[in-house]
Amino acid sequence: MQALIILTRKAKFNFEGFYKTIMKLSPQALTFKGYDAAPLRRIFVDSHYSEPFYEELKTVGKQESFDIECTCDCRKWIQDDKVIVERNLNPHLVADWQTSNAFISELKYTWGITGSREYGLLTGGNTFIGKLPNGEKWLLMGKNERRICDDPDKISKTYGVKVENLNYLPQQDFHLDMFLRPIGYPYILVNDPKLAKENLEKYCQEHPENKSIMDEFLKWNERRKRHYADCEETIAKLEEIGFIPIRIAGVYTEGINFMNAIVNKHKDGKISYITNSTKGNYVTTYNDIEKIFENDLKNKVPNIDKVHFIAGRSSVDYMDPDIYYTDGNYMMSNIKNNSGGLHCMTLEEPNFEQWA
């Protein structure tokens, strides 16, 4: 399921003074105890598409104490066409109209998750769900979701979120989960291409033999700017509605995206960050970028417990007919060629009892 963020029209007033104060503090002074990094109970994957990374993700699940379950609806982007919401502290699947009866029945009779198809369903990768400190839920949506459903009442009923707590964001990419990641209200990671450029400039000075990655980044960023919002627009909107954006270099090329991530909240308030790996068997530059991101993340988010990177099979070990390998691992090529990564291919079930 998506992450959680806290939204009301009153949020700007309530948090404005806090925001001004907190931004004067060092990252180490921040505390991240928000509601939106949910404790996870299960992650579902589609057996038809998850084979290249299933065992890797299952290992992470054991370390994080949540289950990885295989189902089959023969649909790759399981995050986008389904969501598990909370209804009376119980999990409930909301699916689109193409989701099979077999899938809905399997969740009900195997895991006790009831299900329904509803017109108020939005694209999973373009929405994030959360809770305010008073327990009210909020929903962040990319502006493009108006094409899917522009009826606030239907959206409100489907997600259990008051109409006044629905908010649209300017989009830096085609889905929100490609450029931002909530990590605990009011904090939210936002990709800043300027920071990625700075990191690459420094890296290429130290490793001039790998300067081609800078060319890749510049070409990708120019294409993105022609179609999508600037980072500053997204950040301004988030601040307006009460969030504290944390800028980070999270996207380096079409195939290197660390924002497309799953977050698991622990009982002690710490969180683990699970995202796409760049490790392959021949492109060492990408391995270095992964380390740079991990260091940045730990410096900016002091309550990080672990950072897990999921690569999938390497290009020489596994061939997916849907993927033309141009990079060193399954996830990188999937993002680059099919515009989807780990978050897109997983469906989260939070532990609603702990979340409450």
Side-chain angles (χ1 to χ4, degrees), residues 6 15 43 82 88 114 122 132 134 185 192 219-220 230 280 326 335 354:
I6 306 159
F15 291 98
I43 289 181
K82 306 171 184 71
N88 300 317
T114 57
L122 302 172
L132 291 161
N134 65 5
Y185 181 79
D192 188 340
K219 291 177 182 177
W220 164 79
D230 185 78
T326 56
I335 295 172
Q354 291 184 16

Side-chain angles (χ1 to χ4, degrees), residues 58-73:
K58 189 174 181 179
T59 298
V60 171
K62 287 181 180 179
Q63 295 176 24
E64 293 291 319
S65 299
F66 57 73
D67 296 326
I68 309 298
E69 303 289 358
C70 266
T71 62
C72 187
D73 197 31

Side-chain angles (χ1 to χ4, degrees), residues 152-216:
D153 291 329
K154 286 182 179 178
I155 297 171
S156 172
K157 182 179 178 181
T158 293
Y159 290 91
V161 179
K162 292 181 178 180
V163 171
E164 58 265 30
N165 293 345
L166 304 176
N167 284 267
Y168 290 96
L169 291 182
Q171 296 189 216
Q172 293 172 243
D173 212 320
F174 63 92
H175 282 169
L176 296 184
D177 68 356
M178 299 300 285
F179 64 89
L180 61 79
R181 176 68 238 195
I183 54 171
Y185 181 79
Y187 305 100
I188 182 167
L189 295 174
V190 181
N191 178 59
D192 188 340
K194 293 178 182 177
L195 295 182
K197 185 179 179 182
E198 290 175 7
N199 282 352
L200 289 177
E201 286 173 343
K202 181 179 179 181
Y203 177 78
C204 290
Q205 286 177 355
E206 298 171 354
H207 303 276
E209 70 279 9
N210 294 327
K211 63 180 182 179
S212 62
I213 193 171
M214 175 62 86
D215 296 331
E216 287 184 55

Side-chain angles (χ1 to χ4, degrees), residues 3 22-23 27 42 62 89 93 109 113 125 130 139 150 156 206 221 225 240 247 252 267 275 303 315 317:
I22 202 71
M23 294 311 288
R42 298 183 186 93
K62 287 181 180 179
L89 294 181
L93 174 76
Y109 293 110
I113 301 174
L139 185 68
D150 198 20
S156 172
E206 298 171 354
N221 197 39
K225 289 192 296 185
E240 176 188 324
R247 298 170 185 263
Y252 286 85
K267 292 181 180 180
T275 190
N303 74 321
S315 57
D317 293 331

